[in-house]
Amino acid sequence: MSSFPRPAAPGDNALTVPRPDNGPHTAGRYRPVSSYLAIAPPVSVVIPAMNEAENLPYVFKTLPDWIHEVVLVDGNSTDATVRVARELWPDVKVVGQRGKGKGDALISGFAACTGDIIVMIDADGSADGQEIVSYVSALVSGADFAKGSRFANGGGTDDMTPIRKLGNFVLCTVVNAKFGARYTDLCYGYNAFWRHCLDRITLDCTGFEVETLMNIRVVKAGLKVQEIPSHEYDRIHGVSNLRAVRDGLRVLRVILRERGVPRAARRRTRAVRPALPLPLAVHTGLTGPGVRQGEVS
């Protein structure tokens, strides 16, 4: 399915898009995602949740109506999480989590997705679903992985304590030095990527460290990463299962376990990487709100 962007036009569902490789290509149905952009690739949103019934109304009301599907991974909730999700989004796909931990939940959710683009978002109301358009814009402009950042220009956080900010900064610095990345944020759960990326990275952890593992392995796989400024709000109801020291140590173990990328290999990777295919993005003004142009890995 074509991933070329075009300006959104009310009432248009199909378009013959000139392709530089083999001539005209008739795309499938285009979904208008903003006043200036329509896309063909279906978008799946994965939401891991455990006892988040009170927060889901705030999460679902920010999700755009053009997304292809919502996959809710239920971590054996004892409240009305599943019922509320079905009331809010009747077509929601509910996946029962068999194991434990956020990493396990995301792996289960990714496996259930049918969209070409996968967005991962938390269920506590801290993320704004309206930012999804910025992530999708980056992907259809040529990125493989759109990585949310609270510390990129235009991002922010209401939720992080000083000790968590310090820990995130230190861990991010270590990852940049060891793997040749240029990240401004490391431990953030709002990301989007083409589904084919899952064929290039192996996810084999079960906890909150899954976000760090993904960020490391997309760099090691030579995928194009673009940071998206994002604002993290306070959790609305309930208490997070995140524990700064415990989970910080788990993140550190992941970083130490992964083999680093030699400097020579980083230079070779950058030298052979093709340029971002952006001509159509430039013509259509594809620079959605919050999208920071430029590659970070």
Side-chain angles (χ1 to χ4, degrees):
M1 185 174 290
S2 172
S3 63
F4 288 104
R6 63 151 183 147
D12 287 351
N13 289 323
L15 177 73
T16 299
V17 182
R19 292 173 61 95
D21 49 0
N22 56 1
H25 170 76
T26 302
R29 296 178 66 86
Y30 277 79
R31 298 168 176 81
V33 302
S34 73
S35 60
Y36 55 85
L37 173 68
I39 63 168
V43 177
S44 300
V45 177
V46 177
I47 307 175
M50 184 175 69
N51 297 327
E52 299 284 9
E54 291 184 289
N55 290 321
L56 288 184
Y58 300 92
V59 177
F60 277 77
K61 76 177 181 180
T62 69
L63 296 179
D65 57 8
W66 47 261
I67 60 177
H68 166 63
E69 66 182 353
V70 176
V71 178
L72 180 90
V73 185
D74 177 50
N76 301 303
S77 298
T78 57
D79 66 357
T81 291
V82 173
R83 176 177 61 80
V84 169
R86 287 178 170 148
E87 290 174 354
L88 295 168
W89 202 281
D91 294 329
V92 65
K93 182 184 293 185
V94 177
V95 176
Q97 184 178 356
R98 296 182 178 180
K100 293 182 179 181
K102 186 176 184 179
D104 180 84
L106 286 173
I107 292 169
S108 299
F110 297 160
C113 289
T114 60
D116 292 335
I117 291 174
I118 298 176
V119 181
M120 45 191 278
I121 190 171
D122 289 339
D124 59 3
S126 63
D128 184 357
Q130 294 182 10
E131 293 180 358
I132 289 176
V133 65
S134 297
Y135 289 80
V136 171
S137 296
L139 295 175
V140 298
S141 295
D144 296 308
F145 192 89
K147 175 187 171 299
S149 173
R150 296 160 292 187
F151 303 108
N153 187 25
T157 178
D158 301 332
D159 183 60
M160 293 185 77
T161 62
I163 188 65
R164 285 180 57 200
K165 286 183 180 180
L166 176 61
N168 186 72
F169 173 78
V170 171
L171 294 170
C172 188
T173 300
V174 173
V175 165
N176 287 342
K178 184 174 182 180
F179 302 101
R182 296 191 291 275
Y183 293 148
T184 61
D185 198 354
L186 184 67
C187 307
Y188 190 39
Y190 201 169
N191 303 294
F193 52 91
W194 291 99
R195 186 172 59 178
H196 67 74
C197 293
L198 294 173
D199 298 329
R200 303 281 300 277
I201 62 176
T202 300
L203 300 180
D204 51 8
C205 64
T206 60
F208 284 99
E209 70 274 14
V210 65
E211 298 146 3
T212 296
L213 184 68
M214 293 180 74
N215 291 333
I216 291 174
R217 290 187 175 172
V218 294
V219 170
K220 294 177 66 175
L223 298 174
K224 303 182 189 73
V225 182
Q226 184 169 319
E227 281 197 329
I228 307 299
S230 177
H231 192 96
E232 178 187 41
Y233 298 90
D234 285 324
R235 162 180 278 273
I236 299 174
H237 296 288
V239 179
S240 173
N241 292 318
L242 178 68
R243 297 294 178 267
V245 175
R246 179 199 66 188
D247 293 307
L249 290 174
R250 293 184 68 160
V251 168
L252 180 60
R253 282 196 291 270
V254 164
I255 297 171
L256 296 177
R257 183 187 68 194
E258 291 292 303
R259 180 175 298 176
V261 179
R263 292 187 181 275
R266 299 176 199 174
R267 289 194 293 270
R268 287 196 300 271
T269 300
R270 289 172 184 162
V272 301
R273 182 173 298 156
L276 286 174
L278 288 178
L280 286 175
V282 174
H283 295 328
T284 61
L286 183 57
T287 55
V291 177
R292 188 180 82 172
Q293 298 299 319
E295 206 174 349
V296 300
S297 71

PDB file of all heavy atoms in Angstrom, residues 52-67:
ATOM      1  N   GLU A  52      -7.688   0.702  34.376  1.00  0.00           N
ATOM      2  CA  GLU A  52      -7.670   2.098  33.917  1.00  0.00           C
ATOM      3  C   GLU A  52      -9.058   2.567  33.482  1.00  0.00           C
ATOM      4  O   GLU A  52      -9.181   3.479  32.660  1.00  0.00           O
ATOM      5  CB  GLU A  52      -6.681   2.256  32.752  1.00  0.00           C
ATOM      6  CG  GLU A  52      -5.248   1.919  33.077  1.00  0.00           C
ATOM      7  CD  GLU A  52      -4.555   3.015  33.892  1.00  0.00           C
ATOM      8  OE1 GLU A  52      -5.245   3.960  34.346  1.00  0.00           O
ATOM      9  OE2 GLU A  52      -3.328   2.911  34.087  1.00  0.00           O
ATOM     10  N   ALA A  53     -10.114   1.972  34.042  1.00  0.00           N
ATOM     11  CA  ALA A  53     -11.476   2.318  33.614  1.00  0.00           C
ATOM     12  C   ALA A  53     -11.761   3.808  33.752  1.00  0.00           C
ATOM     13  O   ALA A  53     -12.426   4.404  32.898  1.00  0.00           O
ATOM     14  CB  ALA A  53     -12.489   1.502  34.413  1.00  0.00           C
ATOM     15  N   GLU A  54     -11.272   4.436  34.811  1.00  0.00           N
ATOM     16  CA  GLU A  54     -11.544   5.859  35.031  1.00  0.00           C
ATOM     17  C   GLU A  54     -10.778   6.751  34.059  1.00  0.00           C
ATOM     18  O   GLU A  54     -11.224   7.875  33.761  1.00  0.00           O
ATOM     19  CB  GLU A  54     -11.187   6.250  36.466  1.00  0.00           C
ATOM     20  CG  GLU A  54     -12.102   5.659  37.528  1.00  0.00           C
ATOM     21  CD  GLU A  54     -11.746   6.179  38.906  1.00  0.00           C
ATOM     22  OE1 GLU A  54     -10.679   5.780  39.424  1.00  0.00           O
ATOM     23  OE2 GLU A  54     -12.519   6.982  39.457  1.00  0.00           O
ATOM     24  N   ASN A  55      -9.647   6.287  33.558  1.00  0.00           N
ATOM     25  CA  ASN A  55      -8.824   7.104  32.669  1.00  0.00           C
ATOM     26  C   ASN A  55      -9.179   6.944  31.193  1.00  0.00           C
ATOM     27  O   ASN A  55      -8.929   7.852  30.393  1.00  0.00           O
ATOM     28  CB  ASN A  55      -7.344   6.767  32.859  1.00  0.00           C
ATOM     29  CG  ASN A  55      -6.808   7.236  34.191  1.00  0.00           C
ATOM     30  OD1 ASN A  55      -7.159   8.315  34.659  1.00  0.00           O
ATOM     31  ND2 ASN A  55      -5.971   6.422  34.817  1.00  0.00           N
ATOM     32  N   LEU A  56      -9.756   5.807  30.821  1.00  0.00           N
ATOM     33  CA  LEU A  56      -9.995   5.538  29.407  1.00  0.00           C
ATOM     34  C   LEU A  56     -10.869   6.586  28.719  1.00  0.00           C
ATOM     35  O   LEU A  56     -10.622   6.922  27.551  1.00  0.00           O
ATOM     36  CB  LEU A  56     -10.602   4.140  29.225  1.00  0.00           C
ATOM     37  CG  LEU A  56      -9.646   2.966  29.460  1.00  0.00           C
ATOM     38  CD1 LEU A  56     -10.350   1.646  29.162  1.00  0.00           C
ATOM     39  CD2 LEU A  56      -8.382   3.093  28.608  1.00  0.00           C
ATOM     40  N   PRO A  57     -11.900   7.141  29.375  1.00  0.00           N
ATOM     41  CA  PRO A  57     -12.677   8.179  28.679  1.00  0.00           C
ATOM     42  C   PRO A  57     -11.821   9.354  28.235  1.00  0.00           C
ATOM     43  O   PRO A  57     -12.053   9.928  27.155  1.00  0.00           O
ATOM     44  CB  PRO A  57     -13.710   8.612  29.737  1.00  0.00           C
ATOM     45  CG  PRO A  57     -13.883   7.399  30.596  1.00  0.00           C
ATOM     46  CD  PRO A  57     -12.516   6.785  30.675  1.00  0.00           C
ATOM     47  N   TYR A  58     -10.821   9.732  29.026  1.00  0.00           N
ATOM     48  CA  TYR A  58      -9.942  10.838  28.657  1.00  0.00           C
ATOM     49  C   TYR A  58      -9.012  10.440  27.516  1.00  0.00           C
ATOM     50  O   TYR A  58      -8.665  11.258  26.661  1.00  0.00           O
ATOM     51  CB  TYR A  58      -9.113  11.278  29.869  1.00  0.00           C
ATOM     52  CG  TYR A  58      -9.946  11.755  31.029  1.00  0.00           C
ATOM     53  CD1 TYR A  58     -10.340  10.870  32.030  1.00  0.00           C
ATOM     54  CD2 TYR A  58     -10.356  13.082  31.120  1.00  0.00           C
ATOM     55  CE1 TYR A  58     -11.121  11.301  33.097  1.00  0.00           C
ATOM     56  CE2 TYR A  58     -11.129  13.523  32.188  1.00  0.00           C
ATOM     57  CZ  TYR A  58     -11.513  12.624  33.172  1.00  0.00           C
ATOM     58  OH  TYR A  58     -12.284  13.048  34.221  1.00  0.00           O
ATOM     59  N   VAL A  59      -8.609   9.170  27.495  1.00  0.00           N
ATOM     60  CA  VAL A  59      -7.723   8.684  26.428  1.00  0.00           C
ATOM     61  C   VAL A  59      -8.469   8.602  25.102  1.00  0.00           C
ATOM     62  O   VAL A  59      -8.029   9.128  24.081  1.00  0.00           O
ATOM     63  CB  VAL A  59      -7.132   7.306  26.792  1.00  0.00           C
ATOM     64  CG1 VAL A  59      -6.281   6.766  25.644  1.00  0.00           C
ATOM     65  CG2 VAL A  59      -6.318   7.387  28.071  1.00  0.00           C
ATOM     66  N   PHE A  60      -9.635   7.965  25.124  1.00  0.00           N
ATOM     67  CA  PHE A  60     -10.356   7.705  23.885  1.00  0.00           C
ATOM     68  C   PHE A  60     -10.907   8.979  23.249  1.00  0.00           C
ATOM     69  O   PHE A  60     -11.017   9.059  22.030  1.00  0.00           O
ATOM     70  CB  PHE A  60     -11.488   6.705  24.144  1.00  0.00           C
ATOM     71  CG  PHE A  60     -11.043   5.275  24.139  1.00  0.00           C
ATOM     72  CD1 PHE A  60     -10.372   4.731  25.226  1.00  0.00           C
ATOM     73  CD2 PHE A  60     -11.273   4.453  23.054  1.00  0.00           C
ATOM     74  CE1 PHE A  60      -9.954   3.416  25.237  1.00  0.00           C
ATOM     75  CE2 PHE A  60     -10.858   3.130  23.042  1.00  0.00           C
ATOM     76  CZ  PHE A  60     -10.195   2.612  24.134  1.00  0.00           C
ATOM     77  N   LYS A  61     -11.252   9.975  24.066  1.00  0.00           N
ATOM     78  CA  LYS A  61     -11.827  11.181  23.469  1.00  0.00           C
ATOM     79  C   LYS A  61     -10.800  11.983  22.678  1.00  0.00           C
ATOM     80  O   LYS A  61     -11.170  12.822  21.857  1.00  0.00           O
ATOM     81  CB  LYS A  61     -12.463  12.066  24.549  1.00  0.00           C
ATOM     82  CG  LYS A  61     -11.494  12.855  25.408  1.00  0.00           C
ATOM     83  CD  LYS A  61     -12.245  13.735  26.395  1.00  0.00           C
ATOM     84  CE  LYS A  61     -11.288  14.569  27.257  1.00  0.00           C
ATOM     85  NZ  LYS A  61     -12.026  15.416  28.218  1.00  0.00           N
ATOM     86  N   THR A  62      -9.505  11.718  22.893  1.00  0.00           N
ATOM     87  CA  THR A  62      -8.475  12.433  22.129  1.00  0.00           C
ATOM     88  C   THR A  62      -8.037  11.664  20.887  1.00  0.00           C
ATOM     89  O   THR A  62      -7.300  12.211  20.061  1.00  0.00           O
ATOM     90  CB  THR A  62      -7.228  12.714  22.990  1.00  0.00           C
ATOM     91  OG1 THR A  62      -6.547  11.481  23.274  1.00  0.00           O
ATOM     92  CG2 THR A  62      -7.607  13.408  24.294  1.00  0.00           C
ATOM     93  N   LEU A  63      -8.468  10.417  20.737  1.00  0.00           N
ATOM     94  CA  LEU A  63      -8.048   9.625  19.580  1.00  0.00           C
ATOM     95  C   LEU A  63      -8.758  10.116  18.321  1.00  0.00           C
ATOM     96  O   LEU A  63      -9.978  10.322  18.332  1.00  0.00           O
ATOM     97  CB  LEU A  63      -8.348   8.138  19.797  1.00  0.00           C
ATOM     98  CG  LEU A  63      -7.606   7.440  20.930  1.00  0.00           C
ATOM     99  CD1 LEU A  63      -8.038   5.976  21.004  1.00  0.00           C
ATOM    100  CD2 LEU A  63      -6.099   7.537  20.747  1.00  0.00           C
ATOM    101  N   PRO A  64      -8.050  10.308  17.219  1.00  0.00           N
ATOM    102  CA  PRO A  64      -8.696  10.744  15.980  1.00  0.00           C
ATOM    103  C   PRO A  64      -9.594   9.658  15.408  1.00  0.00           C
ATOM    104  O   PRO A  64      -9.315   8.463  15.542  1.00  0.00           O
ATOM    105  CB  PRO A  64      -7.508  11.030  15.048  1.00  0.00           C
ATOM    106  CG  PRO A  64      -6.372  10.247  15.610  1.00  0.00           C
ATOM    107  CD  PRO A  64      -6.585  10.173  17.089  1.00  0.00           C
ATOM    108  N   ASP A  65     -10.670  10.073  14.755  1.00  0.00           N
ATOM    109  CA  ASP A  65     -11.628   9.087  14.246  1.00  0.00           C
ATOM    110  C   ASP A  65     -11.166   8.412  12.967  1.00  0.00           C
ATOM    111  O   ASP A  65     -11.822   7.479  12.497  1.00  0.00           O
ATOM    112  CB  ASP A  65     -13.001   9.738  14.039  1.00  0.00           C
ATOM    113  CG  ASP A  65     -12.946  10.942  13.097  1.00  0.00           C
ATOM    114  OD1 ASP A  65     -11.880  11.165  12.486  1.00  0.00           O
ATOM    115  OD2 ASP A  65     -13.964  11.649  12.985  1.00  0.00           O
ATOM    116  N   TRP A  66     -10.040   8.862  12.391  1.00  0.00           N
ATOM    117  CA  TRP A  66      -9.573   8.254  11.152  1.00  0.00           C
ATOM    118  C   TRP A  66      -8.671   7.048  11.358  1.00  0.00           C
ATOM    119  O   TRP A  66      -8.255   6.420  10.381  1.00  0.00           O
ATOM    120  CB  TRP A  66      -8.841   9.290  10.294  1.00  0.00           C
ATOM    121  CG  TRP A  66      -7.828  10.134  11.011  1.00  0.00           C
ATOM    122  CD1 TRP A  66      -8.001  11.397  11.491  1.00  0.00           C
ATOM    123  CD2 TRP A  66      -6.469   9.763  11.333  1.00  0.00           C
ATOM    124  NE1 TRP A  66      -6.842  11.851  12.085  1.00  0.00           N
ATOM    125  CE2 TRP A  66      -5.892  10.876  11.995  1.00  0.00           C
ATOM    126  CE3 TRP A  66      -5.688   8.633  11.115  1.00  0.00           C
ATOM    127  CZ2 TRP A  66      -4.567  10.870  12.455  1.00  0.00           C
ATOM    128  CZ3 TRP A  66      -4.381   8.619  11.574  1.00  0.00           C
ATOM    129  CH2 TRP A  66      -3.837   9.724  12.230  1.00  0.00           C
ATOM    130  N   ILE A  67      -8.357   6.706  12.596  1.00  0.00           N
ATOM    131  CA  ILE A  67      -7.490   5.543  12.806  1.00  0.00           C
ATOM    132  C   ILE A  67      -8.221   4.255  12.419  1.00  0.00           C
ATOM    133  O   ILE A  67      -9.445   4.164  12.513  1.00  0.00           O
ATOM    134  CB  ILE A  67      -6.955   5.463  14.251  1.00  0.00           C
ATOM    135  CG1 ILE A  67      -8.097   5.346  15.255  1.00  0.00           C
ATOM    136  CG2 ILE A  67      -6.088   6.656  14.576  1.00  0.00           C
ATOM    137  CD1 ILE A  67      -7.624   5.200  16.675  1.00  0.00           C
TER     138      ILE A  67
END
